[in-house]
Amino acid sequence: MNYFPDEVIEHVFDFVTSHKDRNSISLVCKSWFKIERYSRQNVFIGNCYSISPERLLRRFPCFKSLTLKGKPHFADFNLVPHGWGGFVQPWIEALARSRVGLEELRLKRMVVTDEGLELLSRSFVNFKSLVLVSCEGFSTDGLASIASNCRHLRDLDLQENEIDDHRGQWLSCFPETYTSLVTLNFACLEGETNLVALERLVARSPNLRSLKLNRAVPLDALARLMACAPQIVDLGVGSYEDEQDSESCLKLQAAIRKYTSLRSLSGFLEAAPHCLSAFHPVCHNLTSLNLSYAAEIHGSHLIKLIEHCKKLQRLWILDSIGDKGLEVVASTCKELQELRVFPTDLHGGGNTAVTEDGLVAISAGCPKLHSILYFCQQMTNAALITVARNCPNFIRFRLCILEPHKPDHVTSQPLDEGFGAIVQACKNLKRLSVSGLLTDQVFLYIGMFATQLEMLSIAFAGDTDKGMLYVLNGCKKMRKLEIRDSPFGDAALLADVNKYETMRSLWMSSCEVTLGGCKRLARKAPWLNVEIINENDNNRMEENGYEGRQKVDKLYLYRTVVGTRVDAPPFVWIL
Amino acid sequence: MLSEEELQSNVSVASSPTSNCISKGGGLKVHNYFGLSDSSSVESSTLSGNVEDDKATISLKATELTLGLPGSQSPARETELDEKPFFPLLPTKDEIFSSSQKNIASGNKRGFSDTMYTEKNWMFPEAVATQSVVNKEVTQNIPKGQLGTLNNSSSPPAAKAQIVGWPPVRSYRKNTLATTCKNSDEVDGKPGSAALFVKVSMDGAPYLRKVDLRSYTNYGELSSALEKMFTTFTLGQCGSNGAAGKDMLSETKLKNLLNGKDYVLTYEDKDGDWMLVGDVPWEMFIDVCKKLKIMKGADAIGLAPRAMEKSKMRA
């Protein structure tokens, strides 16, 4: 390859898009390292504190797209206090100062501000795509800046963010001359929308492919929007609350008949039970269906809709569909690849909506299934063993039994054997979440068989440090390990300090790890940031002489090349 | 639930000299979740390994009638347990309420005592699985919410009926579904917001009052409201008895009066029986309560002898 001029090599590299592959390429030789770094277009940073913006710019001066992730995953479940970190501001400022021609910014679990959005909108002439997932800290004013200043914006995709809705006119900030919109998702906004501005925007956007509305967009507006944008591929219905034969309903039904391109349907944040029937004509083309927010729709209506969805590949649904509903899914959706079943009743009430039977039915009926997230009341080892036999292709397997420590409800045994069967059969398993009553045995299985495992979530499981050690020693490809309320302590934490250099991060909360143990770890591994998050009385940890043995509430450690971060709040103690 | 070793160790802890719990030989497994092995008034719960039974057992315990006003603790219990009064009828130390309320992750404005008794609650209140009874190893295996807080001395000692961050559902999703359900309730016109007025009588008072039970969320609020309502009558009583005639009736004195010295709050349930207020979960109470009555001490002896004793001890 040394006989080829650099441009040729670079051209070859253009076909290599995966981050991992490009990282590997850059390790081959100095020449390749250099060519690769100048030609990398998309940079992915899984932990915003592992590197600084300055070092990013030094290494990759020419990138166009940046993906950043901030808070640890368990922040989604309120385990990380407000103000912990994940601020995107320094990144935007550094990029704005440089000459990078940023076109796309994708953020997950980060804190974004209106000032940051404004700076972003003014600094990058060719900015095209903003995707914010589970972020917070900004308002519709920030969106107004983006709308006003980004002349070439294509995507504005806001997924499950906490946005302060000032009920302003951000939608009308898109100039009249602006016609390049491709994706618009504002489903997470709570407030009223300027419907006139919205309709005009949609009407002048011939390239619009994805439109996801919030709950404040009523049925008649939806009907009008759909009528002027029949090319939409991905639709998120906001609200559908109307009488069955109302004029708006009829208009909607007329518009739907033209929706030959529709492949993905979601939303129904406020929905009358009968509304789904209007969408039956387009079901046979749907590949993605997300009804996981449609709490008001009964299982029977869900089932009637799904019976028409023969090409479905992705289904997100509530457990109100029941085992019977899942059997219908199993017999209808032969192309199904990803299933998520969310709980309707978050407190595990007596209503056993889905059980192990539904899971078994799905595994038997859907041969292409590779990703599952399943919330249920009960499970058995026998069911999991059957599932493993039916579906050895799982890449992601996340099972959440709502009641912690719940054993096999038939045999009263721990669920070690069931999960053991899953990891043994699924040789490509990359992500696993376990739940229910589990002993150290399950971790022995995981360490032994889950050779490709990259992310593992553990809650209320295990007996001794051995459990965690099995995982750390066995799973060579582990990147993210998150543990809560499990009896793992210092011995497991400190057994192999160098392991953490191969991982992105480790989270341990309500475990048996002590402050002394964490300090020892921090001393042994200066290339790790060892953060202790202690909401109550941080100072008390140091006062009494027992500090070494004081249990740590929350521990978050991650590898980094830039040392201790400077933006940590008072309740975060970086050792 | 627990593997064999833990069961053994738990049982050995439970079989202390004074206990009357069932021994291992009987083939029944004993779990000491309430930590009441040394208190003979409550038998240890038997566990079949089925968590459903656990739930039933716990709620049975909760609704069991005990002697003494809620809020008063049996002498045996007091010394070893960090047990919080399950239904403090009258406002007890502020710190208990505030600290417990801080810990309700869901932001539910009902007091912790209420959340402990929702049917859906599978959690064993942390307060009752205390360190004094359970040894270190077993602590790890007892199902409870915050292992860390049990060991962390700086955490508030209130019972955590709901675990923070469980089930692992994004807060965005929780909030969105909550909004949807709230709206549907309004649309359905469920009688959730209808008032529930019951008569309140007080011994010696010339006329009755009415209170809307639904305007309160726990026993504490009810008792403060009643105190305020019946202040004048109590003043009158004191004056006529001449006992505290000269003294101005301060708030604390009034509290003492209602707190078990002379008065006891009772209610008539659906069956027509007169019951002591405070034994059952709040939600259950407002479902069955037909009338309220503030009874004078002498009349209330049959209902709350221990309360009388305690008040005499205090006097």
Side-chain angles (χ1 to χ4, degrees):
Chain A
M1 284 287 270
N2 283 336
Y3 302 120
F4 290 115
D6 287 354
E7 300 81 48
V8 175
I9 300 180
E10 194 182 311
H11 185 66
V12 172
F13 287 177
D14 281 349
F15 293 98
V16 180
T17 48
S18 130
H19 303 292
K20 281 188 188 158
D21 290 344
R22 289 199 76 110
N23 290 343
S24 306
I25 288 177
S26 60
L27 293 174
V28 168
C29 64
K30 275 193 182 161
S31 154
W32 280 30
F33 182 86
K34 185 167 153 228
I35 298 171
E36 197 281 319
R37 64 180 265 255
Y38 280 103
S39 63
R40 189 173 307 207
Q41 300 281 291
N42 308 316
V43 178
F44 171 84
I45 296 177
N47 175 5
C48 65
Y49 290 119
S50 61
I51 192 166
S52 69
E54 290 73 30
R55 296 223 9 196
L56 165 69
L57 289 163
R58 269 209 302 272
R59 168 97 189 257
F60 300 115
C62 306
F63 68 90
K64 298 263 182 298
S65 161
L66 177 63
T67 304
L68 276 173
K69 293 191 183 180
K71 300 183 206 170
H73 176 230
F74 276 175
D76 280 348
F77 316 129
N78 290 338
L79 287 178
V80 176
H82 188 75
W84 171 84
F87 308 107
V88 77
Q89 190 69 13
W91 293 85
I92 299 179
E93 282 171 6
L95 294 177
R97 280 193 297 267
S98 77
R99 280 171 295 141
V100 156
L102 190 69
E103 292 184 10
E104 177 179 69
L105 186 62
R106 309 171 72 98
L107 305 176
K108 187 167 186 181
R109 270 181 235 115
M110 294 200 75
V111 179
V112 183
T113 60
D114 290 341
E115 293 73 35
L117 289 174
E118 230 230 313
L119 181 60
L120 181 71
S121 70
R122 288 192 192 285
S123 310
F124 307 106
V125 172
N126 283 324
F127 192 74
K128 294 194 172 71
S129 173
L130 181 64
V131 180
L132 302 177
V133 180
S134 290
C135 295
E136 48 151 355
F138 61 105
S139 76
T140 44
D141 296 346
L143 299 179
S145 319
I146 298 286
S148 311
N149 303 326
C150 299
R151 295 293 146 96
H152 301 286
L153 191 72
R154 280 195 316 226
D155 308 314
L156 182 58
D157 190 356
L158 309 168
Q159 299 176 29
E160 301 193 346
N161 302 291
E162 279 189 32
I163 305 176
D164 202 5
D165 196 332
H166 291 165
R167 287 165 175 75
Q169 298 298 317
W170 68 278
L171 269 174
S172 36
C173 291
F174 285 105
E176 285 301 315
T177 49
Y178 168 73
T179 56
S180 44
L181 197 60
V182 174
T183 302
L184 180 63
N185 174 4
F186 61 95
C188 60
L189 283 178
E190 287 296 318
E192 275 135 39
T193 318
N194 183 337
L195 294 173
V196 171
L198 176 62
E199 284 172 42
R200 285 166 66 157
L201 176 63
V202 168
R204 67 174 187 277
S205 303
N207 298 323
L208 189 66
R209 291 286 172 273
S210 171
L211 178 63
K212 292 184 177 162
L213 310 166
N214 73 347
R215 66 168 79 233
V217 178
L219 182 58
D220 54 331
L222 174 66
R224 285 195 299 274
L225 286 166
M226 287 177 76
C228 61
Q231 76 282 9
I232 283 180
V233 170
D234 177 13
L235 178 68
V237 172
S239 148
Y240 193 128
E241 294 252 316
D242 234 26
E243 290 309 308
Q244 189 133 18
D245 295 319
S246 72
E247 199 192 315
S248 307
C249 244
L250 295 170
K251 263 202 268 181
L252 184 88
Q253 284 163 18
I256 287 179
R257 275 190 269 282
K258 297 203 195 115
Y259 261 58
T260 50
S261 313
L262 193 69
R263 296 288 174 271
S264 169
L265 188 61
S266 62
F268 297 95
L269 304 168
E270 304 213 1
H274 60 265
C275 67
L276 287 183
S277 52
F279 290 90
H280 286 185
V282 286
C283 283
H284 59 277
N285 279 329
L286 285 182
T287 56
S288 168
L289 184 59
N290 181 354
L291 296 174
S292 62
Y293 289 102
E296 292 153 320
I297 301 183
H298 281 258
S300 52
H301 295 277
L302 296 173
I303 293 173
K304 282 206 208 95
L305 181 83
I306 287 172
E307 277 167 352
H308 295 91
C309 300
K310 300 209 188 315
K311 290 196 191 159
L312 213 56
Q313 293 172 15
R314 196 172 87 137
L315 176 63
W316 290 25
I317 200 123
L318 287 170
D319 63 3
S320 50
I321 195 175
D323 284 338
K324 287 277 168 280
L326 289 176
E327 281 164 28
V328 172
V329 173
S331 57
T332 312
C333 309
K334 296 301 182 189
E335 305 292 316
L336 196 67
Q337 297 175 21
E338 178 186 332
L339 174 68
R340 295 197 190 189
V341 181
F342 292 97
T344 333
D345 185 353
L346 294 174
H347 302 299
N351 197 13
T352 48
V354 295
T355 68
E356 69 273 22
D357 295 334
L359 183 61
V360 170
I362 292 284
S363 72
C366 304
K368 300 193 181 176
L369 192 66
H370 60 63
S371 286
I372 190 155
L373 169 62
Y374 198 79
F375 284 84
C376 60
Q377 301 275 357
Q378 60 189 44
M379 189 49 58
T380 63
N381 283 313
L384 285 173
I385 292 170
T386 308
V387 167
R389 209 174 34 236
N390 292 339
C391 264
N393 298 322
F394 277 119
I395 301 175
R396 287 171 218 99
F397 188 87
R398 295 196 278 163
L399 180 66
C400 180
I401 301 163
L402 289 166
E403 192 180 315
H405 301 286
K406 183 155 187 177
D408 179 322
H409 74 94
V410 168
T411 66
S412 301
Q413 292 299 303
L415 290 169
D416 301 334
E417 297 307 310
F419 280 105
I422 295 281
V423 293
Q424 195 173 1
C426 303
K427 311 240 184 287
N428 295 322
L429 196 67
K430 288 197 180 156
R431 183 167 180 185
L432 177 66
S433 300
V434 296
S435 58
L437 180 66
L438 296 166
T439 70
D440 287 344
Q441 186 71 10
V442 71
F443 300 112
L444 176 64
Y445 291 143
I446 293 174
M448 252 167 40
F449 296 113
T451 51
Q452 303 299 312
L453 198 65
E454 295 178 7
M455 183 168 176
L456 178 61
S457 307
I458 301 171
F460 306 101
D463 305 315
T464 71
D465 284 333
K466 280 199 271 184
M468 187 168 160
L469 283 169
Y470 291 141
V471 171
L472 288 175
N473 293 335
C475 301
K476 301 289 178 216
K477 298 211 177 171
M478 184 62 65
R479 288 190 302 122
K480 286 185 282 185
L481 182 57
E482 46 187 27
I483 307 172
R484 64 167 291 180
D485 294 275
S486 301
F488 306 134
D490 296 339
L493 181 70
L494 293 163
D496 180 8
V497 169
N498 291 323
K499 172 76 178 171
Y500 304 124
E501 197 177 6
T502 66
M503 288 168 54
R504 185 190 297 175
S505 63
L506 168 68
W507 169 280
M508 292 179 77
S509 59
S510 303
C511 297
E512 300 289 313
V513 178
T514 69
L515 181 57
C518 294
K519 284 189 168 177
R520 279 204 302 283
L521 176 63
R523 270 198 301 273
K524 282 193 190 182
W527 33 264
L528 279 183
N529 270 355
V530 179
E531 295 194 6
I532 311 289
I533 301 167
N534 228 1
E535 291 160 271
N536 321 309
D537 300 324
N538 209 356
N539 300 327
R540 285 187 61 175
M541 287 205 108
E542 300 183 56
E543 271 168 24
N544 41 24
Y546 301 104
E547 64 149 53
R549 282 182 269 145
Q550 185 95 15
K551 292 265 186 331
V552 157
D553 207 17
K554 290 167 186 163
L555 162 67
Y556 181 54
L557 62 87
Y558 50 90
R559 63 183 176 193
T560 177
V561 294
V562 288
T564 310
R565 61 182 173 113
V566 297
D567 60 1
F571 56 79
V572 172
W573 187 10
I574 307 183
L575 299 175
Chain B
M1 293 273 267
L2 303 183
S3 62
E4 282 309 300
E5 312 104 77
E6 284 78 28
L7 281 173
Q8 298 300 328
S9 60
N10 204 1
V11 169
S12 61
V13 167
S15 44
S16 45
T18 57
S19 137
N20 58 357
C21 60
I22 302 161
S23 72
K24 330 174 207 181
L28 292 169
K29 294 170 185 168
V30 180
H31 284 264
N32 209 357
Y33 296 111
F34 278 107
L36 296 174
S37 62
D38 295 325
S39 159
S40 54
S41 62
V42 180
E43 352 31 294
S44 324
S45 48
T46 56
L47 188 71
S48 63
N50 187 340
V51 182
E52 296 299 315
D53 283 354
D54 259 353
K55 276 192 243 180
T57 316
I58 299 302
S59 11
L60 274 176
K61 288 274 164 288
T63 58
E64 197 179 69
L65 280 180
T66 55
L67 302 178
L69 272 179
S72 67
Q73 294 168 356
S74 59
R77 291 195 208 181
E78 244 179 342
T79 46
E80 75 223 350
L81 285 186
D82 197 17
E83 187 185 63
K84 293 291 164 279
F86 289 127
F87 293 113
L89 171 60
L90 301 160
T92 53
K93 310 175 192 43
D94 282 344
E95 65 182 15
I96 297 172
F97 273 94
S98 56
S99 62
S100 64
Q101 276 159 7
K102 251 191 263 171
N103 284 316
I104 303 299
S106 62
N108 190 338
K109 63 180 178 176
R110 298 186 298 164
F112 78 92
S113 50
D114 301 287
T115 55
M116 265 166 41
Y117 291 92
T118 50
E119 275 170 51
K120 303 158 185 185
N121 176 31
W122 56 270
M123 269 311 301
F124 300 118
E126 182 206 302
V128 295
T130 58
Q131 287 159 333
S132 61
V133 179
V134 179
N135 60 33
K136 265 285 164 123
E137 289 147 28
V138 183
T139 332
Q140 297 170 3
N141 297 297
I142 287 188
K144 55 183 170 297
Q146 302 285 342
L147 270 172
T149 51
L150 193 67
N151 295 310
N152 184 353
S153 55
S154 65
S155 69
K160 284 199 168 87
Q162 288 166 337
I163 318 175
V164 175
W166 193 266
V169 171
R170 275 192 190 166
S171 13
Y172 172 82
R173 177 172 290 280
K174 278 186 188 166
N175 296 338
T176 308
L177 283 175
T179 316
T180 312
C181 291
K182 198 167 48 165
N183 292 343
S184 72
D185 276 351
E186 286 163 10
V187 166
D188 288 353
K190 280 185 195 157
S193 49
L196 187 61
F197 282 101
V198 295
K199 289 183 190 171
V200 188
S201 60
M202 178 162 166
D203 280 353
Y207 50 83
L208 278 61
R209 300 294 302 268
K210 265 202 170 175
V211 290
D212 176 8
L213 288 180
R214 281 201 211 279
S215 61
Y216 312 114
T217 54
N218 56 44
Y219 286 109
E221 287 180 19
L222 173 65
S223 73
S224 354
L226 290 177
E227 269 174 63
K228 290 198 189 94
M229 225 181 241
F230 287 91
T231 312
T232 46
F233 299 141
T234 330
L235 269 169
Q237 289 285 343
C238 270
S240 64
N241 286 347
K246 283 189 184 167
D247 302 339
M248 293 299 292
L249 203 60
S250 64
E251 202 185 316
T252 45
K253 275 201 173 171
L254 176 65
K255 274 191 190 162
N256 284 340
L257 278 175
L258 289 174
N259 208 351
K261 271 202 162 166
D262 288 309
Y263 291 92
V264 162
L265 186 60
T266 63
Y267 70 101
E268 186 184 42
D269 72 358
K270 282 182 174 162
D271 302 316
D273 298 325
W274 284 95
M275 319 278 290
L276 192 65
V277 168
D279 286 329
V280 301
W282 175 257
E283 296 298 335
M284 204 188 288
F285 168 69
I286 59 179
D287 248 359
V288 298
C289 173
K290 290 262 152 300
K291 272 188 205 171
L292 283 166
K293 187 166 175 179
I294 304 176
M295 282 172 135
K296 235 198 277 198
D299 298 335
I301 276 179
L303 285 173
R306 183 93 26 89
M308 295 303 109
E309 280 171 14
K310 280 200 78 62
S311 63
K312 279 175 199 156
M313 275 155 50
R314 277 190 218 151

